[in-house]
Amino acid sequence: MNGHMELLYWQLVYSFVRRQYRIIKVSNGPNEIWLESFHHQNIPLIRIVRYDIDWSSWLKRDIEYAWRVAEQVKRRYMKRTVQVLNIYISTYPPVDDWEFLVEKPLPFSRDARAALRTVFIHSANVPHSLQQISEQIREPITLPSLERDEDPFLAAEHIKRQALQLTSEQQEREKRLFEYGRPIFTYAFIALQVFMFLLLEWKGGSTNPAVLIEYGAKFNPLIQEGEWWRFFTPIFLHIGFLHLFMNTFALYYLGTMVERLYGSWRFFVIYLTAGFFGTLGSFLFTSSLSAGASGAIFGLFGALLYFGTVYRYLFLQTIGMNVISLIVINLIFGLVIPGIDNAGHIGGLIGGFLAASVVHLPRHRAWNKQVVSLFFTSCIVAAALYAGFR
């Protein structure tokens, strides 16, 4: 094995990791690493292979394999024009004709902008190949030279440890994002809504309109008469056991996640603001009596969507597609099934997103954006209240 090519392999890997690419797959025989980044829209996915290739037939089969894998992975980017860079590092080129295999990109669809592009690096074309890679990722690739008496295998091992250590540190930072707070208010809100349900049942039944109105359900005529607290009290009331069970189940799973992500006091603000927006949306667009935590729970979805705007790559790699799918499914149910207050759901979703943009994420400071978000949110509330009370 050529030590200089082994060093080049790990130098390239380390260079990409420093550019906010993350290692998503490592395999041996041949050495193969896949990296991805949601920060680099032009080339979000890179594959690097270190293998001394003798024949072009092997290269052809492997390019086809890379194309199939990339076709599956690229779906997570939710865009059609994904470029994938496939890099081979070999001491010598294949002994037979091979250039035609890498001259043109291998498209994923009819759109030529979505394709697998291959760069073949061997000992005689390193500068030219690095220039090709630089043009693809639109950033200059410069690799340090080896000292005269330095062992390339030892240097490669050192760079390898640095790359893996940097990747480990990235993963640890990302893990800490989901472990900032403890779900204190989540459990408190669950206990409160269960207590209120039992109280309603004791006082005459949680499905009794008179009981619901007495204990604070959303009732437009009373809100218009000045009972403003009814924008908040419906969050903790539920109509029937099934309604309570579904919302408690959702609050347990979503609430613990969002409270760990944002911390307790931010979660408190997000939940109540989303609940207020949910009631406000229902107040503006429906006249029926209503109650429930659904608007606030949709606000937790909104807070997760806001997290996705700050950490798009991490959001899409972890919970993103599940969150988006659940939002779409629930909104469709609200349109198809009668009796579901979709206006409250959409209001809560918007409120949760706006509240998250105001309080922002822990350990983040973006005062200008937060002030703008607060002003924008206040304007929306003022306009909605004016429209509802005029």
Side-chain angles (χ1 to χ4, degrees):
M1 183 182 291
N2 188 296
H4 292 278
M5 304 311 286
E6 188 74 9
L7 175 60
L8 176 62
Y9 172 70
W10 284 108
Q11 283 179 327
L12 270 179
V13 171
Y14 182 60
S15 176
F16 287 127
V17 170
R18 292 188 62 185
R19 285 174 167 82
Q20 295 185 302
Y21 281 88
R22 39 186 289 132
I23 297 174
I24 59 172
K25 180 182 177 183
V26 180
S27 60
N28 295 315
N31 290 329
E32 174 192 22
I33 285 182
W34 290 80
L35 306 104
E36 71 173 351
S37 172
F38 287 92
H39 295 282
H40 297 265
Q41 296 296 314
N42 50 322
I43 303 287
L45 189 62
I46 295 175
R47 176 188 186 235
I48 310 177
V49 176
R50 167 69 186 106
Y51 186 61
D52 288 333
I53 302 170
D54 297 323
W55 300 96
S56 62
S57 58
W58 186 96
L59 179 62
K60 182 177 182 297
R61 288 194 304 271
D62 194 73
I63 291 174
E64 291 171 351
Y65 157 78
W67 183 90
R68 290 193 299 271
V69 174
E71 173 70 21
Q72 297 296 319
V73 176
K74 78 180 185 65
R75 294 175 184 173
R76 78 174 70 185
Y77 301 102
M78 296 189 300
K79 56 183 293 189
R80 298 180 60 187
T81 58
V82 172
Q83 300 277 345
V84 180
L85 186 57
N86 185 36
I87 302 171
Y88 293 95
I89 301 176
S90 176
T91 306
Y92 302 104
V95 297
D96 52 351
D97 292 337
W98 61 274
E99 290 88 348
F100 70 97
L101 294 172
V102 301
E103 283 177 349
K104 295 181 180 180
L106 193 60
F108 293 114
S109 62
R110 294 180 180 178
D111 190 342
R113 293 176 298 173
L116 178 80
R117 299 180 179 273
T118 299
V119 175
F120 192 100
I121 306 176
H122 55 84
S123 54
N125 75 343
V126 173
H128 174 70
S129 297
L130 293 181
Q131 180 61 34
Q132 283 183 291
I133 296 171
S134 299
E135 292 171 358
Q136 292 294 327
I137 68 170
R138 300 175 188 173
E139 292 183 22
I141 295 288
T142 54
L143 303 179
S145 301
L146 187 68
E147 296 293 333
R148 179 177 298 178
D149 298 327
E150 191 174 4
D151 186 332
F153 287 107
L154 291 178
E157 188 63 29
H158 176 69
I159 296 293
K160 175 183 177 180
R161 286 197 298 269
Q162 285 184 311
L164 296 179
Q165 176 64 28
L166 187 55
T167 298
S168 177
E169 291 171 358
Q170 290 174 344
Q171 292 172 344
E172 184 60 32
R173 286 195 299 270
E174 292 167 359
K175 181 181 177 182
R176 287 199 299 268
L177 288 173
F178 293 95
E179 298 176 350
Y180 179 78
R182 292 186 300 165
I184 298 171
F185 282 114
T186 297
Y187 297 141
F189 287 146
I190 288 174
L192 180 57
Q193 66 189 34
V194 170
F195 171 79
M196 291 305 301
F197 176 78
L198 295 175
L199 179 63
L200 293 180
E201 290 293 317
W202 181 44
K203 292 295 183 178
S206 62
T207 58
N208 186 326
V211 174
L212 287 167
I213 291 173
E214 181 183 355
Y215 283 89
K218 190 223 78 174
F219 188 55
N220 286 11
L222 292 181
I223 291 178
Q224 290 170 331
E225 289 178 9
E227 295 188 5
W228 56 267
W229 57 86
R230 290 183 184 270
F231 284 116
F232 295 96
T233 50
I235 303 171
F236 307 104
L237 306 180
H238 290 84
I239 305 171
F241 177 76
L242 181 61
H243 191 205
L244 172 71
F245 175 78
M246 295 300 293
N247 279 348
T248 301
F249 182 80
L251 176 56
Y252 175 77
Y253 282 99
L254 278 174
T256 52
M257 181 188 302
V258 173
E259 192 165 359
R260 291 184 196 280
L261 191 62
Y262 281 88
S264 292
W265 77 264
R266 289 180 177 85
F267 171 82
F268 181 84
V269 172
I270 291 169
Y271 192 77
L272 291 185
T273 302
F276 168 77
F277 266 78
T279 309
L280 182 60
S282 180
F283 171 67
L284 289 175
F285 296 102
T286 64
S287 59
S288 59
L289 178 72
S290 65
S294 301
I297 290 168
F298 263 80
L300 301 182
F301 281 124
L304 293 175
L305 288 178
Y306 181 75
F307 171 78
T309 67
V310 180
Y311 289 100
R312 182 172 178 268
Y313 67 100
L314 186 58
F315 178 72
L316 292 175
Q317 285 172 336
T318 53
I319 58 175
M321 294 307 299
N322 290 334
V323 168
I324 294 170
S325 299
L326 285 171
I327 292 172
V328 172
I329 290 170
N330 279 280
L331 290 178
I332 291 174
F333 277 152
L335 293 172
V336 174
I337 301 174
I340 295 180
D341 191 352
N342 238 12
H345 292 175
I346 295 172
L349 182 68
I350 295 171
F353 184 91
L354 292 174
S357 71
V358 173
V359 299
H360 210 27
L361 288 160
R363 305 188 185 96
H364 287 70
R365 292 293 180 268
W367 296 116
N368 291 340
K369 292 182 179 179
Q370 290 175 257
V371 170
V372 170
S373 295
L374 179 60
F375 176 76
F376 183 65
T377 303
S378 301
C379 289
I380 291 176
V381 172
L385 291 175
Y386 175 78
F389 281 96
R390 67 173 183 171

